[in-house]
Amino acid sequence: MLFQPHEVAASHAAIPSLSDYVNVDTLTRVGLKVLGALVLLVVGTWVVRRIVNFSARALGRAKIDTTLIGFLRNLLFGVLIAVLVVMALGVIGVPSAPMVAALGTAGLAIGLALQGSLSNLAWGVLLIMFRPFRVGDFVTVAGVDGTVESINLMHTQLLLPDGRESVVPNGKVGSDVITNYNRRGKRRFQLDVRIGYKDNIDAAMAEIHQLLAADARVLKDPEPVVWTHGLGESSVDLLVRAWTLTADFWTVQTDLLGAIKKRFDDKGISIPLPQRELKVVQADLLSSTTDRT
C-alpha cells in the first residue's frame, strides 16, 4: 500500500515530540540553577572548612581548653553548613523564609526537650572558659568536697577524700557556690589548744610560737598568731592560726598538734580534761516520811 506525500506529512505532524511536553528553556534554566547550587555547596564547604580550621588555630593560640575548642569548632561548622544549605536552596528557587522558620521551630522543640542537657552544656562551656577551678584542685561544688579529675562539657568528675568518685552535672556546679582551696596556693589552718587555769598563759603561748617558727612549712608572711580564745569550764582556750602551702595543709596540722603535746609535757603545762562538779544532797527520808503521815 502506497502513501501519498501529503499523507506522510500528516502522519509526521501527528507524532508528539519532546518539545511538546518539556520546555527546553525552562529545563535549561533549572539545570543551570542546580549546577550553581552544587558549585556553591562545593566551594562553600571548602571555604567553611578553612574558616573553621583558622578559628580553631586562633583559639589554640589563645590557650583555650582543647575540649572547648573542639566543641566550638563543631558548632561553628554546623551553623555555617546550615547557612550554606539555605543559600543553595535559595539559588534553586526554594523560598528561604519558610525553611528558616521550620529550622527555628525544630530548634525550639529540641531545646525544650533537652533543657536539662543544654543547661549542663552551657555551664560546661562557661566553666571551661572562665576556669573557676582546674584539674587537680580540691574544691567544694554543689555541696561535694573532692579533687577535680576531669571537666567535661556535661559534667565534672571529682575524687572524694575516701577514694569514691562523684560525677556532678555542670548545671549544679555552676548554679551553686564554688569553693576552690588551691587557687591561691596557700591556706590558713586553725588549732584549738587548752591549758589549765594554773598554767602560765604567756609561757604556753611562747612555746607554741617557738614551734611555729621552727617549722619551715609554716609561712612567716602572714605572721602566725596565738590568741587567748576563751575561758572554758575547766580550761583556758588558746587559738592558733598560721598559713602554709596548700600541699602541706593537713600534714602541718597533725605534726604541729603532736609537737605541742610533747612540748607541753616536757614543760609541765597541763592539757586538762573536761571536768564537772557534782553535789549530792542527802535528805532524812525517815523524817520526811513521818511528816507526811
Side-chain angles (χ1 to χ4, degrees):
M1 181 178 181
L2 298 177
F3 293 97
Q4 298 297 326
H6 66 276
E7 294 178 347
V8 174
S11 63
H12 280 291
I15 298 175
S17 62
L18 181 63
S19 60
D20 295 334
Y21 297 99
V22 178
N23 190 323
V24 178
D25 295 336
T26 303
L27 184 62
T28 303
R29 287 195 299 269
V30 172
L32 291 176
K33 288 181 179 181
V34 172
L35 180 61
L38 291 176
V39 172
L40 178 61
L41 286 176
V42 173
V43 177
T45 302
W46 180 82
V47 174
V48 166
R49 291 185 183 277
R50 296 293 297 271
I51 294 174
V52 168
N53 292 333
F54 175 79
S55 301
R57 288 194 297 269
L59 292 175
R61 288 192 295 268
K63 303 297 180 61
I64 303 297
D65 189 89
T66 54
T67 304
L68 182 58
I69 291 177
F71 169 74
L72 293 178
R73 182 185 184 281
N74 295 333
L75 179 62
L76 179 61
F77 182 79
V79 171
L80 293 180
I81 289 297
V83 173
L84 186 63
V85 170
V86 172
M87 293 175 60
L89 293 176
V91 171
I92 296 175
V94 178
S96 59
M99 183 174 299
V100 172
L103 290 176
T105 303
L108 178 61
I110 294 173
L112 292 176
L114 302 176
Q115 184 175 3
S117 299
L118 291 178
S119 175
N120 292 332
L121 180 62
W123 277 113
V125 173
L126 293 177
L127 290 174
I128 295 175
M129 288 181 60
F130 295 104
R131 290 185 175 275
F133 50 80
R134 299 173 182 270
V135 174
D137 288 349
F138 187 81
V139 298
T140 299
V141 295
V144 181
D145 298 333
T147 302
V148 180
E149 283 198 320
S150 64
I151 308 171
N152 300 321
L153 291 175
M154 300 300 294
H155 63 267
T156 298
Q157 186 171 351
L158 301 179
L159 177 63
L160 305 188
D162 58 1
R164 293 178 297 165
E165 290 187 355
S166 179
V167 178
V168 185
N170 287 333
K172 291 187 176 181
V173 174
S175 61
D176 205 345
V177 177
I178 300 174
T179 304
N180 191 331
Y181 299 96
N182 294 65
R183 191 63 174 266
R184 300 291 182 176
K186 59 184 180 180
R187 290 181 63 183
R188 189 193 71 183
F189 65 87
Q190 175 176 308
L191 302 176
D192 295 321
V193 180
R194 298 195 307 269
I195 62 174
Y197 273 98
K198 295 181 180 181
D199 296 312
N200 190 311
I201 297 178
D202 294 334
M205 295 174 67
E207 296 296 335
I208 296 175
H209 273 296
Q210 291 180 9
L211 292 173
L212 291 172
D215 195 329
R217 296 169 298 179
V218 177
L219 302 180
K220 305 305 181 287
D221 184 23
E223 184 180 359
V225 294
V226 183
W227 295 331
T228 302
H229 181 58
L231 301 176
E233 296 180 354
S234 58
S235 65
V236 178
D237 301 330
L238 303 180
L239 181 64
V240 181
R241 284 181 178 175
W243 291 79
T244 185
L245 297 179
T246 304
D248 300 327
F249 180 76
W250 296 109
T251 56
V252 169
Q253 294 182 73
T254 56
D255 294 346
L256 189 58
L257 280 175
I260 291 174
K261 175 63 170 62
K262 294 177 181 178
R263 181 64 64 88
F264 280 8
D265 291 343
D266 295 340
K267 299 299 181 179
I269 301 174
S270 62
I271 301 178
L273 297 174
Q275 299 177 4
R276 295 290 184 273
E277 183 177 346
L278 179 63
K279 292 183 179 181
V280 179
V281 179
Q282 295 182 350
D284 190 349
L285 297 179
L286 181 59
S287 61
S288 62
T289 306
T290 304
D291 294 339
R292 289 192 187 96
T293 58

